[in-house]
Amino acid sequence: MSATPLQNRVTPTGEIVADPARGTLMGNRGCLHRADRTLGVTRWRSKMWICCVLRWRDVRRDVMPPGRWTALFFLDEATALSAGHRPCGYCRRDAYASFTGAWRRAAGLARPPRAGEMDAALHAERVDSRTRQKRTRPAVAGELPEGVMVRHDGTCGLLAGKRFLPWTHRGYLAPVALRADRRVELLTPPSTVAAIGAGYRPLLHPSAGASLA
């Protein structure tokens, strides 16, 4: 009998759920789990929400070490960015440099932003301070860059190649044509949307194919 999956898979809306599917990236928001390896009501302990590689120098780590951190898993980077995470500056240094460079260009800054500056901006954009729920925004599909996540007709998915790719824990489903004037619910935080629009290219699950090529 297979083990019950831990509650550590993240959806494009930032929810943390239990699902046996494997992700292509991991990350964390601090220690969210209890001694019995289940989650309580807390969904972050820090404003530093990062997205990391699955393997780093062959180091094997417990995904829920007591009192330290809770490993979270994402289908791909587009999912992580939609949930409000950013590239880790340690294990994904090149991606981090590309992301901060795109952020700088989009914001018209004289220098790349520091990690803490991005974390503060993203936290204000991803979470409603009163309800502690994810903040989303109305948008027009044709005005968004490819690589962001939206909700369309009640389904979360990726905008790619002027199409909508429905999201699942195991990968993207067959793409659906989406009119440029179609109104959607934007899930990816605005600062990240701007960085993607300025040239950052998130890593996609293989099921997305060459959608952003």
Side-chain angles (χ1 to χ4, degrees), residues 48-74:
M48 185 178 71
W49 295 19
I50 57 175
C51 178
C52 307
V53 295
L54 289 178
R55 296 178 179 84
W56 176 248
R57 297 178 178 176
D58 294 324
V59 176
R60 297 181 64 85
R61 293 192 177 102
D62 184 355
V63 297
M64 289 186 176
R68 295 183 59 193
W69 62 295
T70 302
L72 304 174
F73 295 90
F74 312 94

PDB file of all heavy atoms in Angstrom, residues 48-74:
ATOM      1  N   MET A  48       9.802  35.616   2.490  1.00  0.00           N
ATOM      2  CA  MET A  48      10.721  35.077   1.495  1.00  0.00           C
ATOM      3  C   MET A  48      10.172  33.751   0.975  1.00  0.00           C
ATOM      4  O   MET A  48      10.405  32.689   1.542  1.00  0.00           O
ATOM      5  CB  MET A  48      12.123  34.866   2.099  1.00  0.00           C
ATOM      6  CG  MET A  48      13.142  34.414   1.079  1.00  0.00           C
ATOM      7  SD  MET A  48      14.804  34.215   1.767  1.00  0.00           S
ATOM      8  CE  MET A  48      14.556  32.733   2.768  1.00  0.00           C
ATOM      9  N   TRP A  49       9.430  33.826  -0.113  1.00  0.00           N
ATOM     10  CA  TRP A  49       8.875  32.634  -0.757  1.00  0.00           C
ATOM     11  C   TRP A  49       9.768  32.335  -1.959  1.00  0.00           C
ATOM     12  O   TRP A  49       9.765  33.092  -2.937  1.00  0.00           O
ATOM     13  CB  TRP A  49       7.450  32.878  -1.229  1.00  0.00           C
ATOM     14  CG  TRP A  49       6.450  33.139  -0.141  1.00  0.00           C
ATOM     15  CD1 TRP A  49       6.669  33.519   1.139  1.00  0.00           C
ATOM     16  CD2 TRP A  49       5.023  33.059  -0.288  1.00  0.00           C
ATOM     17  NE1 TRP A  49       5.491  33.682   1.809  1.00  0.00           N
ATOM     18  CE2 TRP A  49       4.464  33.411   0.968  1.00  0.00           C
ATOM     19  CE3 TRP A  49       4.184  32.743  -1.342  1.00  0.00           C
ATOM     20  CZ2 TRP A  49       3.085  33.448   1.179  1.00  0.00           C
ATOM     21  CZ3 TRP A  49       2.812  32.778  -1.135  1.00  0.00           C
ATOM     22  CH2 TRP A  49       2.272  33.119   0.116  1.00  0.00           C
ATOM     23  N   ILE A  50      10.513  31.254  -1.908  1.00  0.00           N
ATOM     24  CA  ILE A  50      11.476  30.974  -2.968  1.00  0.00           C
ATOM     25  C   ILE A  50      11.138  29.697  -3.726  1.00  0.00           C
ATOM     26  O   ILE A  50      10.338  28.879  -3.275  1.00  0.00           O
ATOM     27  CB  ILE A  50      12.909  30.888  -2.412  1.00  0.00           C
ATOM     28  CG1 ILE A  50      13.010  29.828  -1.300  1.00  0.00           C
ATOM     29  CG2 ILE A  50      13.367  32.248  -1.905  1.00  0.00           C
ATOM     30  CD1 ILE A  50      14.411  29.597  -0.792  1.00  0.00           C
ATOM     31  N   CYS A  51      11.762  29.549  -4.869  1.00  0.00           N
ATOM     32  CA  CYS A  51      11.572  28.401  -5.737  1.00  0.00           C
ATOM     33  C   CYS A  51      12.950  27.836  -6.062  1.00  0.00           C
ATOM     34  O   CYS A  51      13.817  28.558  -6.579  1.00  0.00           O
ATOM     35  CB  CYS A  51      10.851  28.859  -7.002  1.00  0.00           C
ATOM     36  SG  CYS A  51      10.579  27.561  -8.208  1.00  0.00           S
ATOM     37  N   CYS A  52      13.169  26.550  -5.755  1.00  0.00           N
ATOM     38  CA  CYS A  52      14.502  25.940  -5.802  1.00  0.00           C
ATOM     39  C   CYS A  52      14.540  24.704  -6.702  1.00  0.00           C
ATOM     40  O   CYS A  52      13.501  24.174  -7.098  1.00  0.00           O
ATOM     41  CB  CYS A  52      14.928  25.514  -4.388  1.00  0.00           C
ATOM     42  SG  CYS A  52      14.839  26.820  -3.149  1.00  0.00           S
ATOM     43  N   VAL A  53      15.756  24.250  -6.986  1.00  0.00           N
ATOM     44  CA  VAL A  53      15.920  22.995  -7.726  1.00  0.00           C
ATOM     45  C   VAL A  53      15.574  21.824  -6.801  1.00  0.00           C
ATOM     46  O   VAL A  53      15.635  21.934  -5.578  1.00  0.00           O
ATOM     47  CB  VAL A  53      17.361  22.845  -8.252  1.00  0.00           C
ATOM     48  CG1 VAL A  53      17.663  23.927  -9.276  1.00  0.00           C
ATOM     49  CG2 VAL A  53      18.378  22.893  -7.113  1.00  0.00           C
ATOM     50  N   LEU A  54      15.229  20.694  -7.414  1.00  0.00           N
ATOM     51  CA  LEU A  54      14.888  19.514  -6.613  1.00  0.00           C
ATOM     52  C   LEU A  54      16.122  18.889  -5.973  1.00  0.00           C
ATOM     53  O   LEU A  54      16.057  18.372  -4.854  1.00  0.00           O
ATOM     54  CB  LEU A  54      14.194  18.468  -7.488  1.00  0.00           C
ATOM     55  CG  LEU A  54      12.778  18.775  -7.965  1.00  0.00           C
ATOM     56  CD1 LEU A  54      12.283  17.641  -8.862  1.00  0.00           C
ATOM     57  CD2 LEU A  54      11.832  18.984  -6.793  1.00  0.00           C
ATOM     58  N   ARG A  55      17.238  18.938  -6.687  1.00  0.00           N
ATOM     59  CA  ARG A  55      18.466  18.309  -6.178  1.00  0.00           C
ATOM     60  C   ARG A  55      19.583  19.330  -6.166  1.00  0.00           C
ATOM     61  O   ARG A  55      19.766  20.075  -7.121  1.00  0.00           O
ATOM     62  CB  ARG A  55      18.862  17.115  -7.049  1.00  0.00           C
ATOM     63  CG  ARG A  55      17.855  15.990  -7.022  1.00  0.00           C
ATOM     64  CD  ARG A  55      18.259  14.843  -7.942  1.00  0.00           C
ATOM     65  NE  ARG A  55      17.298  13.750  -7.889  1.00  0.00           N
ATOM     66  CZ  ARG A  55      16.182  13.700  -8.587  1.00  0.00           C
ATOM     67  NH1 ARG A  55      15.888  14.697  -9.408  1.00  0.00           N
ATOM     68  NH2 ARG A  55      15.359  12.677  -8.492  1.00  0.00           N
ATOM     69  N   TRP A  56      20.355  19.322  -5.084  1.00  0.00           N
ATOM     70  CA  TRP A  56      21.455  20.269  -4.942  1.00  0.00           C
ATOM     71  C   TRP A  56      22.675  19.541  -4.385  1.00  0.00           C
ATOM     72  O   TRP A  56      22.692  19.117  -3.240  1.00  0.00           O
ATOM     73  CB  TRP A  56      21.047  21.427  -4.026  1.00  0.00           C
ATOM     74  CG  TRP A  56      22.138  22.412  -3.737  1.00  0.00           C
ATOM     75  CD1 TRP A  56      22.768  22.628  -2.546  1.00  0.00           C
ATOM     76  CD2 TRP A  56      22.727  23.334  -4.659  1.00  0.00           C
ATOM     77  NE1 TRP A  56      23.704  23.616  -2.665  1.00  0.00           N
ATOM     78  CE2 TRP A  56      23.703  24.072  -3.955  1.00  0.00           C
ATOM     79  CE3 TRP A  56      22.511  23.600  -6.019  1.00  0.00           C
ATOM     80  CZ2 TRP A  56      24.470  25.064  -4.559  1.00  0.00           C
ATOM     81  CZ3 TRP A  56      23.284  24.589  -6.611  1.00  0.00           C
ATOM     82  CH2 TRP A  56      24.238  25.309  -5.890  1.00  0.00           C
ATOM     83  N   ARG A  57      23.673  19.329  -5.242  1.00  0.00           N
ATOM     84  CA  ARG A  57      24.948  18.711  -4.855  1.00  0.00           C
ATOM     85  C   ARG A  57      24.758  17.367  -4.143  1.00  0.00           C
ATOM     86  O   ARG A  57      25.477  17.052  -3.187  1.00  0.00           O
ATOM     87  CB  ARG A  57      25.749  19.669  -3.978  1.00  0.00           C
ATOM     88  CG  ARG A  57      26.141  20.956  -4.693  1.00  0.00           C
ATOM     89  CD  ARG A  57      26.882  21.915  -3.810  1.00  0.00           C
ATOM     90  NE  ARG A  57      27.270  23.118  -4.547  1.00  0.00           N
ATOM     91  CZ  ARG A  57      27.871  24.179  -3.981  1.00  0.00           C
ATOM     92  NH1 ARG A  57      28.129  24.172  -2.667  1.00  0.00           N
ATOM     93  NH2 ARG A  57      28.200  25.220  -4.721  1.00  0.00           N
ATOM     94  N   ASP A  58      23.773  16.604  -4.587  1.00  0.00           N
ATOM     95  CA  ASP A  58      23.511  15.268  -4.036  1.00  0.00           C
ATOM     96  C   ASP A  58      23.206  15.268  -2.536  1.00  0.00           C
ATOM     97  O   ASP A  58      23.354  14.244  -1.862  1.00  0.00           O
ATOM     98  CB  ASP A  58      24.688  14.332  -4.312  1.00  0.00           C
ATOM     99  CG  ASP A  58      24.851  14.068  -5.798  1.00  0.00           C
ATOM    100  OD1 ASP A  58      23.826  13.981  -6.497  1.00  0.00           O
ATOM    101  OD2 ASP A  58      25.999  13.949  -6.255  1.00  0.00           O
ATOM    102  N   VAL A  59      22.786  16.408  -2.002  1.00  0.00           N
ATOM    103  CA  VAL A  59      22.412  16.489  -0.588  1.00  0.00           C
ATOM    104  C   VAL A  59      20.987  15.967  -0.425  1.00  0.00           C
ATOM    105  O   VAL A  59      20.075  16.392  -1.128  1.00  0.00           O
ATOM    106  CB  VAL A  59      22.502  17.945  -0.074  1.00  0.00           C
ATOM    107  CG1 VAL A  59      22.006  18.024   1.371  1.00  0.00           C
ATOM    108  CG2 VAL A  59      23.924  18.451  -0.169  1.00  0.00           C
ATOM    109  N   ARG A  60      20.791  15.030   0.484  1.00  0.00           N
ATOM    110  CA  ARG A  60      19.469  14.486   0.766  1.00  0.00           C
ATOM    111  C   ARG A  60      18.947  15.111   2.053  1.00  0.00           C
ATOM    112  O   ARG A  60      19.617  15.066   3.089  1.00  0.00           O
ATOM    113  CB  ARG A  60      19.520  12.964   0.892  1.00  0.00           C
ATOM    114  CG  ARG A  60      19.948  12.258  -0.391  1.00  0.00           C
ATOM    115  CD  ARG A  60      19.944  10.757  -0.214  1.00  0.00           C
ATOM    116  NE  ARG A  60      18.626  10.228   0.041  1.00  0.00           N
ATOM    117  CZ  ARG A  60      17.739   9.914  -0.911  1.00  0.00           C
ATOM    118  NH1 ARG A  60      18.051  10.100  -2.192  1.00  0.00           N
ATOM    119  NH2 ARG A  60      16.563   9.421  -0.615  1.00  0.00           N
ATOM    120  N   ARG A  61      17.769  15.689   1.963  1.00  0.00           N
ATOM    121  CA  ARG A  61      17.201  16.388   3.119  1.00  0.00           C
ATOM    122  C   ARG A  61      15.798  15.866   3.405  1.00  0.00           C
ATOM    123  O   ARG A  61      15.056  15.491   2.498  1.00  0.00           O
ATOM    124  CB  ARG A  61      17.110  17.892   2.856  1.00  0.00           C
ATOM    125  CG  ARG A  61      18.455  18.601   2.742  1.00  0.00           C
ATOM    126  CD  ARG A  61      18.240  20.107   2.783  1.00  0.00           C
ATOM    127  NE  ARG A  61      19.499  20.836   2.754  1.00  0.00           N
ATOM    128  CZ  ARG A  61      19.981  21.432   1.681  1.00  0.00           C
ATOM    129  NH1 ARG A  61      19.300  21.383   0.555  1.00  0.00           N
ATOM    130  NH2 ARG A  61      21.121  22.093   1.725  1.00  0.00           N
ATOM    131  N   ASP A  62      15.449  15.884   4.684  1.00  0.00           N
ATOM    132  CA  ASP A  62      14.086  15.594   5.089  1.00  0.00           C
ATOM    133  C   ASP A  62      13.200  16.728   4.569  1.00  0.00           C
ATOM    134  O   ASP A  62      13.565  17.905   4.676  1.00  0.00           O
ATOM    135  CB  ASP A  62      14.018  15.512   6.622  1.00  0.00           C
ATOM    136  CG  ASP A  62      12.643  15.126   7.142  1.00  0.00           C
ATOM    137  OD1 ASP A  62      11.708  15.000   6.330  1.00  0.00           O
ATOM    138  OD2 ASP A  62      12.516  14.959   8.361  1.00  0.00           O
ATOM    139  N   VAL A  63      12.046  16.409   4.006  1.00  0.00           N
ATOM    140  CA  VAL A  63      11.175  17.453   3.470  1.00  0.00           C
ATOM    141  C   VAL A  63      10.428  18.209   4.564  1.00  0.00           C
ATOM    142  O   VAL A  63       9.905  19.303   4.302  1.00  0.00           O
ATOM    143  CB  VAL A  63      10.167  16.881   2.451  1.00  0.00           C
ATOM    144  CG1 VAL A  63      10.896  16.299   1.252  1.00  0.00           C
ATOM    145  CG2 VAL A  63       9.263  15.845   3.087  1.00  0.00           C
ATOM    146  N   MET A  64      10.377  17.639   5.766  1.00  0.00           N
ATOM    147  CA  MET A  64       9.722  18.323   6.874  1.00  0.00           C
ATOM    148  C   MET A  64      10.526  18.136   8.163  1.00  0.00           C
ATOM    149  O   MET A  64      10.064  17.503   9.119  1.00  0.00           O
ATOM    150  CB  MET A  64       8.289  17.812   7.065  1.00  0.00           C
ATOM    151  CG  MET A  64       7.317  18.222   5.973  1.00  0.00           C
ATOM    152  SD  MET A  64       5.606  17.731   6.365  1.00  0.00           S
ATOM    153  CE  MET A  64       4.723  18.465   4.979  1.00  0.00           C
ATOM    154  N   PRO A  65      11.734  18.698   8.235  1.00  0.00           N
ATOM    155  CA  PRO A  65      12.526  18.582   9.468  1.00  0.00           C
ATOM    156  C   PRO A  65      11.845  19.360  10.597  1.00  0.00           C
ATOM    157  O   PRO A  65      11.319  20.457  10.361  1.00  0.00           O
ATOM    158  CB  PRO A  65      13.861  19.201   9.091  1.00  0.00           C
ATOM    159  CG  PRO A  65      13.549  20.123   7.962  1.00  0.00           C
ATOM    160  CD  PRO A  65      12.438  19.469   7.200  1.00  0.00           C
ATOM    161  N   PRO A  66      11.813  18.830  11.801  1.00  0.00           N
ATOM    162  CA  PRO A  66      11.115  19.489  12.910  1.00  0.00           C
ATOM    163  C   PRO A  66      11.601  20.917  13.154  1.00  0.00           C
ATOM    164  O   PRO A  66      12.792  21.157  13.338  1.00  0.00           O
ATOM    165  CB  PRO A  66      11.433  18.588  14.105  1.00  0.00           C
ATOM    166  CG  PRO A  66      11.723  17.251  13.501  1.00  0.00           C
ATOM    167  CD  PRO A  66      12.409  17.551  12.203  1.00  0.00           C
ATOM    168  N   GLY A  67      10.662  21.857  13.112  1.00  0.00           N
ATOM    169  CA  GLY A  67      10.951  23.238  13.467  1.00  0.00           C
ATOM    170  C   GLY A  67      11.830  24.010  12.518  1.00  0.00           C
ATOM    171  O   GLY A  67      12.243  25.135  12.830  1.00  0.00           O
ATOM    172  N   ARG A  68      12.117  23.472  11.332  1.00  0.00           N
ATOM    173  CA  ARG A  68      13.061  24.152  10.445  1.00  0.00           C
ATOM    174  C   ARG A  68      12.391  24.743   9.198  1.00  0.00           C
ATOM    175  O   ARG A  68      12.305  25.947   9.038  1.00  0.00           O
ATOM    176  CB  ARG A  68      14.186  23.204  10.051  1.00  0.00           C
ATOM    177  CG  ARG A  68      15.062  22.790  11.243  1.00  0.00           C
ATOM    178  CD  ARG A  68      16.220  21.902  10.801  1.00  0.00           C
ATOM    179  NE  ARG A  68      17.064  22.597   9.829  1.00  0.00           N
ATOM    180  CZ  ARG A  68      17.984  21.988   9.103  1.00  0.00           C
ATOM    181  NH1 ARG A  68      18.156  20.670   9.212  1.00  0.00           N
ATOM    182  NH2 ARG A  68      18.726  22.671   8.257  1.00  0.00           N
ATOM    183  N   TRP A  69      11.944  23.902   8.279  1.00  0.00           N
ATOM    184  CA  TRP A  69      11.321  24.393   7.070  1.00  0.00           C
ATOM    185  C   TRP A  69      10.447  23.299   6.479  1.00  0.00           C
ATOM    186  O   TRP A  69      10.623  22.126   6.794  1.00  0.00           O
ATOM    187  CB  TRP A  69      12.367  24.842   6.048  1.00  0.00           C
ATOM    188  CG  TRP A  69      13.269  23.738   5.578  1.00  0.00           C
ATOM    189  CD1 TRP A  69      14.169  23.043   6.333  1.00  0.00           C
ATOM    190  CD2 TRP A  69      13.356  23.178   4.271  1.00  0.00           C
ATOM    191  NE1 TRP A  69      14.816  22.101   5.579  1.00  0.00           N
ATOM    192  CE2 TRP A  69      14.341  22.167   4.308  1.00  0.00           C
ATOM    193  CE3 TRP A  69      12.706  23.452   3.077  1.00  0.00           C
ATOM    194  CZ2 TRP A  69      14.669  21.409   3.190  1.00  0.00           C
ATOM    195  CZ3 TRP A  69      13.049  22.701   1.955  1.00  0.00           C
ATOM    196  CH2 TRP A  69      14.024  21.701   2.019  1.00  0.00           C
ATOM    197  N   THR A  70       9.511  23.702   5.664  1.00  0.00           N
ATOM    198  CA  THR A  70       8.596  22.767   5.002  1.00  0.00           C
ATOM    199  C   THR A  70       8.848  22.820   3.500  1.00  0.00           C
ATOM    200  O   THR A  70       8.652  23.863   2.873  1.00  0.00           O
ATOM    201  CB  THR A  70       7.133  23.139   5.292  1.00  0.00           C
ATOM    202  OG1 THR A  70       6.903  23.144   6.698  1.00  0.00           O
ATOM    203  CG2 THR A  70       6.181  22.150   4.627  1.00  0.00           C
ATOM    204  N   ALA A  71       9.299  21.710   2.936  1.00  0.00           N
ATOM    205  CA  ALA A  71       9.524  21.669   1.492  1.00  0.00           C
ATOM    206  C   ALA A  71       8.193  21.664   0.752  1.00  0.00           C
ATOM    207  O   ALA A  71       7.301  20.882   1.068  1.00  0.00           O
ATOM    208  CB  ALA A  71      10.335  20.433   1.125  1.00  0.00           C
ATOM    209  N   LEU A  72       8.071  22.550  -0.216  1.00  0.00           N
ATOM    210  CA  LEU A  72       6.886  22.638  -1.056  1.00  0.00           C
ATOM    211  C   LEU A  72       7.286  22.269  -2.480  1.00  0.00           C
ATOM    212  O   LEU A  72       8.417  22.517  -2.897  1.00  0.00           O
ATOM    213  CB  LEU A  72       6.312  24.055  -1.019  1.00  0.00           C
ATOM    214  CG  LEU A  72       5.960  24.597   0.370  1.00  0.00           C
ATOM    215  CD1 LEU A  72       5.540  26.060   0.271  1.00  0.00           C
ATOM    216  CD2 LEU A  72       4.879  23.759   1.025  1.00  0.00           C
ATOM    217  N   PHE A  73       6.352  21.699  -3.247  1.00  0.00           N
ATOM    218  CA  PHE A  73       6.673  21.221  -4.587  1.00  0.00           C
ATOM    219  C   PHE A  73       5.714  21.811  -5.622  1.00  0.00           C
ATOM    220  O   PHE A  73       4.517  21.944  -5.365  1.00  0.00           O
ATOM    221  CB  PHE A  73       6.646  19.697  -4.624  1.00  0.00           C
ATOM    222  CG  PHE A  73       7.712  19.082  -3.759  1.00  0.00           C
ATOM    223  CD1 PHE A  73       7.453  18.791  -2.428  1.00  0.00           C
ATOM    224  CD2 PHE A  73       8.976  18.833  -4.265  1.00  0.00           C
ATOM    225  CE1 PHE A  73       8.441  18.255  -1.614  1.00  0.00           C
ATOM    226  CE2 PHE A  73       9.973  18.295  -3.466  1.00  0.00           C
ATOM    227  CZ  PHE A  73       9.704  18.005  -2.132  1.00  0.00           C
ATOM    228  N   PHE A  74       6.276  22.149  -6.794  1.00  0.00           N
ATOM    229  CA  PHE A  74       5.535  22.814  -7.861  1.00  0.00           C
ATOM    230  C   PHE A  74       5.619  22.007  -9.148  1.00  0.00           C
ATOM    231  O   PHE A  74       6.671  21.440  -9.459  1.00  0.00           O
ATOM    232  CB  PHE A  74       6.119  24.203  -8.136  1.00  0.00           C
ATOM    233  CG  PHE A  74       6.342  25.039  -6.906  1.00  0.00           C
ATOM    234  CD1 PHE A  74       7.582  25.047  -6.279  1.00  0.00           C
ATOM    235  CD2 PHE A  74       5.329  25.816  -6.379  1.00  0.00           C
ATOM    236  CE1 PHE A  74       7.800  25.825  -5.153  1.00  0.00           C
ATOM    237  CE2 PHE A  74       5.532  26.591  -5.254  1.00  0.00           C
ATOM    238  CZ  PHE A  74       6.777  26.589  -4.639  1.00  0.00           C
TER     239      PHE A  74
END
